[in-house]
Amino acid sequence: MPKTNASDYSAYIELTDLGNIITQIPCRHILLAVDACYSGAIDQAIVFRGRDFGRPNDTPSTERDNIVYKQLRNPSRLLITSGGKQRTPDGKEHSPFAGAILAGLRAAYSRGDGLFTFTDLLGHLERVTPTPHQGVLPQHGQGGVVFVATPPEIRTSNNFVLIQGGSFEMGDTFGDGRSDEKPVHRVVVSDFYIGVHEVTFDEYDAFCDATGCEKPSDENWGRGQHPVINVSWYDAVEYCNWRSRKENLQEVYIKRMASVDANWNANGYRLPTEAEWEFAARQKGENVRFGNGKNIANPNEINLVAYSKSTSCSEESVNRQKTVEVGSLSANNLGLYDMSGNVWEWCWDWYDSSYYKKSKDSQNPTGPRIGSHRVIRGGSWGNDPAFVRCTTRAHSNPTYGRAPRGFRLAMSAR
């Protein structure tokens, strides 16, 4: 109702009328939250008996599924309002009512199991002044509501993950790497998107069909969802620009004769920088040895070669000696697959064995200005554990494609 005329009762919305409107919405579960200065009391006798959010961390998926099922098996028409017949005080950023709801949602993934039920919500609102009220609308079927909270860094869209940037110690933090992985140095990267998996033959073959380029050999290992192989760095750059055009995005790469420059402000597809690649492989810079977030390379989880059990490999490998389909082995906790093994992945940077000595305390480093070879990362099906570590650096002539070479896409987050 208009706050300038508290006696104008014709401005009130009857709960019955509101309920009739809401129940016309073709949705099985509805939660109506009314945040208003004079929202009124649904039932003054209602006492909130919610509870603080406190389910244990790492709830097993079966238990989570059971919680969701119980909440959603019956239809729901639930209502909460921001208080009794008194003005709700203003908050600094949100009203206390809205602030309590947002705080509860944040808590669901920061210190909970990622689930936030109506009961959890009532527990948070119990501490708000004036005390909010709850009720049900017509056609309520004794069901509930549940929010499934997902941390931003693992929210995926079109097979990409948003990686929230930060600083990390780049290089061989375990002390078992080669000289070009040293010295360990501080690097800052901004937010960016990176592909959940390597570019597949399905994706690359579509590019070839559209442009008339020759399709690379799959070595008789299979196309489809296998990572594309036998592609050069320049092939990968061409694919990035083609896909950007196809999706009405700005091309990142600018070709001038034999050289390629990058417009880092463009919103199109590109290769990750070497620093971005390592930051993502190490789960936002954590001190992990392999790209699936572990320090022991299990050949059942990483496509690599391991001829015998060792300190860096848990058991003898099946030695597949070929690629496997993307997403078929273990991901790291960012949801990224095959950051170790399967195929080496092209990065943007020129390779320089002593570059780490020159890039201390750098922000968004993009590598040397010139060079003869481009960086490749991650190792492949043909490498032992030492070469599939997150910090292993290798390089290859950008004009040649090889069976162990593929690539993964990245995008700037702007």
Side-chain angles (χ1 to χ4, degrees):
M1 61 171 285
K3 65 180 180 180
T4 55
N5 188 358
S7 62
D8 183 7
Y9 295 104
S10 64
Y12 281 93
I13 299 176
E14 292 285 345
L15 179 58
T16 302
D17 294 336
L18 183 61
N20 289 334
I21 294 171
I22 294 297
T23 53
Q24 298 302 311
I25 300 174
C27 183
R28 184 172 173 81
H29 302 280
I30 295 175
L31 170 61
L32 175 63
V34 180
D35 187 11
C37 295
Y38 291 89
S39 56
I42 300 170
D43 185 344
Q44 295 286 4
I46 291 177
V47 177
F48 271 40
R49 289 188 174 88
R51 61 178 177 81
D52 289 340
F53 186 87
R55 286 187 297 275
N57 289 327
D58 301 321
T59 302
S61 59
T62 53
E63 185 178 339
R64 284 167 52 94
D65 292 344
N66 191 40
I67 292 170
V68 173
Y69 171 74
K70 287 181 178 179
Q71 292 291 318
L72 303 184
R73 61 184 172 185
N74 295 317
S76 58
R77 298 288 187 271
L78 299 168
L79 172 66
I80 51 175
T81 72
S82 58
K85 295 179 181 177
Q86 57 180 299
R87 182 178 176 84
T88 300
D90 295 330
K92 294 181 180 179
E93 183 177 1
H94 306 286
S95 71
F97 176 77
I101 295 176
L102 293 173
L105 290 170
R106 294 188 185 105
Y109 70 75
S110 65
R111 59 184 178 88
D113 59 10
L115 301 181
F116 189 62
T117 68
F118 190 61
T119 303
D120 299 324
L121 175 59
L122 300 188
H124 277 271
L125 293 177
E126 190 173 29
R127 293 166 286 181
V128 175
T129 302
T131 304
H133 292 269
Q134 63 162 311
V136 298
L137 296 169
Q139 300 184 20
H140 177 62
Q142 304 303 314
V145 293
V146 58
F147 297 90
V148 181
T150 304
E153 64 267 21
I154 61 172
R155 252 179 223 144
T156 61
S157 176
N158 297 324
N159 291 322
F160 280 80
V161 173
L162 172 61
I163 307 296
Q164 294 178 320
S167 64
F168 74 112
E169 298 298 313
M170 186 173 180
D172 174 28
T173 57
F174 283 90
D176 52 8
R178 300 182 302 178
S179 61
D180 63 351
E181 302 171 39
K182 301 176 178 67
V184 174
H185 58 295
R186 181 177 177 272
V187 168
V188 177
V189 295
S190 300
D191 295 356
F192 63 99
Y193 291 93
I194 194 166
V196 170
H197 54 70
E198 296 142 343
V199 172
T200 65
F201 266 107
D202 272 348
E203 293 169 320
Y204 195 84
D205 284 349
F207 158 70
C208 294
D209 290 337
T211 61
C213 293
E214 182 179 356
K215 293 181 179 179
S217 170
D218 63 8
E219 306 292 338
N220 294 319
W221 298 338
R223 302 183 84 81
Q225 290 300 297
H226 284 257
V228 66
I229 55 175
N230 289 308
V231 288
S232 71
W233 184 88
Y234 289 102
D235 292 333
V237 164
E238 291 288 351
Y239 176 86
C240 290
N241 275 358
W242 168 81
R243 185 157 166 179
S244 296
R245 293 192 301 271
K246 180 174 177 287
E247 299 182 19
N248 296 315
L249 300 173
Q250 185 179 6
E251 295 178 27
V252 173
Y253 297 121
I254 306 158
K255 294 180 292 181
R256 295 185 176 93
M257 303 295 288
S259 67
V260 177
D261 294 327
N263 175 8
W264 299 105
N265 293 317
N267 64 352
Y269 295 99
R270 59 177 177 82
L271 297 174
T273 65
E274 186 175 18
E276 287 173 335
W277 191 98
E278 184 172 319
F279 187 69
R282 288 173 52 189
Q283 302 177 154
K284 296 175 60 176
E286 292 181 5
N287 193 31
V288 295
R289 182 176 274 115
F290 298 107
N292 63 350
K294 299 183 179 181
N295 294 328
I296 299 294
N298 187 332
N300 294 319
E301 300 173 347
I302 299 175
N303 189 14
L304 79 167
V305 171
Y307 293 106
S308 62
K309 185 174 181 178
S310 68
T311 56
S312 60
C313 186
S314 64
E315 58 187 61
E316 291 186 14
S317 173
V318 293
N319 292 328
R320 300 176 184 89
Q321 292 295 312
K322 61 181 181 180
T323 61
V324 298
E325 290 190 349
V326 299
S328 60
L329 298 176
S330 297
N332 66 18
N333 70 7
L334 301 182
L336 305 177
Y337 291 88
D338 300 318
M339 296 300 283
S340 286
N342 217 16
V343 295
W344 288 98
E345 300 178 10
W346 289 111
C347 293
W348 158 259
D349 310 45
W350 289 110
Y351 175 78
D352 178 352
S353 62
S354 61
Y355 181 67
Y356 283 11
K357 298 177 182 178
K358 311 167 188 174
S359 57
K360 181 181 179 181
D361 294 325
S362 56
Q363 183 165 355
N364 296 319
T366 56
R369 294 182 59 187
I370 58 174
S372 60
H373 286 62
R374 295 282 182 174
V375 171
I376 53 176
R377 285 296 206 116
S380 80
W381 51 265
N383 294 115
D384 64 30
F387 283 91
V388 302
R389 294 175 300 109
C390 292
T391 60
T392 298
R393 306 179 68 208
H395 55 92
S396 186
N397 188 317
T399 61
Y400 300 122
R402 294 285 187 268
R405 310 276 191 277
F407 65 101
R408 183 185 305 258
L409 297 179
M411 301 175 74
S412 299
R414 294 189 170 52

